[in-house]
Amino acid sequence: MEMTLSLTRKQKVFVDAAESEVLFGGAAGGGKSYGQMADALLFALKYPRSKQLVLRRTFAELDKSLIRLSLSLFPREIYSFNSSTHTGRFKNGSLIDFGYCAAEIDVYQYQSAEYDVIRFDELTHFTENQYVYLLSRIRGTNPYPKQVKSSTNPGGVGHGWVKARFVDPRPAAESFVGEDGLSRIFIPALLSDNKYLSEGDPKYKERLLALPEMEKKALLYGDWNIFEGQYFTEFNPSKHICAPFEISSSWRRYRTIDYGLDRLACLWIAVAPDGRSYVYREFCKSNLTISQAAREICDRTPASEDIYATLAPPDLWSRSQETGRSKATIFSEFGINLTKTSNDRECGWLAVKELLLGKEGVPSICFFSTCSEITRCLPALLIDRLRPTDCSTEPHEITHAPDALRGFAIFCARPAEVKGLIKCKWTTDMWEDYLLADDSAREYLRKKYGEPN
């Protein structure tokens, strides 16, 4: 049997990619799904009795896209599909499972499975935990290539970690090896790369051009720096990330923390005389007890640094039913006396936005380039679908450092200017302070308490 597959140049690069992890992504209409199914077909035919897993976040998405595409693309003479088990089988013994992971725990349905290749379609719809767990399902004693091959558009719950894993480390189309020893490559896909769609539907580009600016940048241009649903669209690496420099000892310094056993996030922030804040150090780590967290924070704070306040959310003052002590009490036993900040999420996020926007185009907060977690997580936060004024708490693993920053922002936000003098009845002590004060001190007291009465 003979068959002909028509591939674009980028699809051919995706098919030929030999890295352990491959991402084919970018703009809509780049031919990513077709490239996935063509690659799956070629792999199945080349390696008899091979096993592949194709994933979408929900079965409805899977059924309306990749399953339909595979049925139209794979020759029926050599391929059959079981709609009950969602498994496709080839005459040479190769199989493809079509699966989904709607919930975080759905990955465990593959706990005992093993595959040569796992394919994620719309990878940014998955969480990092789901992805990393499923890497363990790529195994086998045969000599076949073992890979993860993914395709996606920018945006979605996993935008931040996908960008950090594939897009940020190296220029596009450049192979590299991550810290875990796995080779990776990001192959960008643009509408202009897919001549078949451009010729078959010349109006498609016009429909993308009609989208709102944010969606247009993501879907037409494949812009990974902005995406649909991003909460902090104000964040701009060129404006908000700076090279480290020596901070004057006269600047007021804060620590701000978000603590849970799942993740400690601590940011060190210095405020310059002009009011501009600099996040100059961070420490983020999981699975630390309170005492361990306190020791880590102390070890990373030089004795020469005078910390004005260590800010923390109100829940750290809740007393444990078992011990009767609060987390704040335990921190204080290690010399970290916490200052309670507000847990008002809406006002806190607005305060962060104000810092990012600054005044007259100059941001009021900058982050040292060494603070990689906060600069990765903050722009990755999504708008909560039910409360558009709030950030989504999913994926939870990226919320800790931003929550710590929120505590600082709302604590240090300037109160609204009070118009007119406050009036109150002066006490004997107020009068005594006033009579003993010089002119400037008297002016201060009049502003604070109103005119003497």
Side-chain angles (χ1 to χ4, degrees), residues 2 8 28 31 34-35 68 77 131 144 167 182-183 185 195 202 241 255 300 303 310 312 329 376:
E2 293 184 2
T8 67
Y34 184 91
R68 292 182 183 180
E77 295 87 346
Y131 181 84
Y144 300 163
V167 181
L182 296 175
S183 58
I185 190 170
K195 64 178 182 179
I241 298 178
R255 288 182 302 217
R300 285 163 175 76
T310 301
T329 300
R376 173 180 63 86

Side-chain angles (χ1 to χ4, degrees), residues 157-170:
V157 68
H159 177 96
W161 74 262
V162 173
K163 182 174 181 287
R165 193 178 186 94
F166 291 96
V167 181
D168 292 339
R170 290 289 191 279

